[in-house]
């Protein structure tokens, strides 16, 4: 298994059949039980998609990518980047603002149901918001998240026919 370490919309390609393909493995690393603090993590990644443990140079695991995956899905489902409107000027967060908000203020995107498509299958919103937990051990695994989003893609495709 591989830790991608920079999941973001620009690194996910979608095929004509709505299959997501992750790309740009330039900063990825082979999965170990846990990566040591600061191991190949300084100055890499995209702050609004990065988990708190990586921003703080703490040990991290595959839950790092779970956090980023949920941020990507927020972007897909709302058509807005994470933390939209949370910048000091009411705009989007710049990288430094993102780091400060996530680490110091434990900021996360809003999980209000009205921000999301009405046909979202049960559990998608709850699991996505759990994936942003500050504690990596409290985050769901990909085995829980991916089937929920697959169900949403199938339901969305069927609704558009």
């Amino acid at each position: 298994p591989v830790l991608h370490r920079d999941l973001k919309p620009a690194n996910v390609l979608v095929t004509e059949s709505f299959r997501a393909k992750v790309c740009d493995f330039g900063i990825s690393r082979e999965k170990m039980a846990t990566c040591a603090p600061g191991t190949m993590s300084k100055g890499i990644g995209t702050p609004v998609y990065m988990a708190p443990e990586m921003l703080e140079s703490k040990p991290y695991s595959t839950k790092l990518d779970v956090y980023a995956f949920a941020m990507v899905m927020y972007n897909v489902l709302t058509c807005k980047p994470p933390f939209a409107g949370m910048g000091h000027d009411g705009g989007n967060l710049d990288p430094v603002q993102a780091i400060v908000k996530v680490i110091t203020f434990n900021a996360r995107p809003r999980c209000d149901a009205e921000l999301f498509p009405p046909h979202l299958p049960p559990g998608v919103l709850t699991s996505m918001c759990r994936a942003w937990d500050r504690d990596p051990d409290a985050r769901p695994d990909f085995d829980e998240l991916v089937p929920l989003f697959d169900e949403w893609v199938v339901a969305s495709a069927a609704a558009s026919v």
Side-chain angles (χ1 to χ4, degrees), residues 12-13 17 23 25 40 52 64 69 73 78 86-87 99 103 111 117 119 144 149 158:
V12 180
L13 306 175
S17 59
C23 64
F25 287 84
M40 306 286 247
L64 172 87
F69 174 78
M73 292 316 302
T78 65
M86 292 176 68
I99 292 167
I103 292 174
C111 276
H119 59 278
E144 177 182 335
F149 286 103

Side-chain angles (χ1 to χ4, degrees), residues 77 113 116-126 128 148-149 151-152 155-156:
L77 293 169
F116 299 90
H119 59 278
L120 212 55
V124 170
L125 187 59
T126 303
M128 182 179 66
L148 289 171
F149 286 103
E151 182 182 340
W152 170 72
S156 296

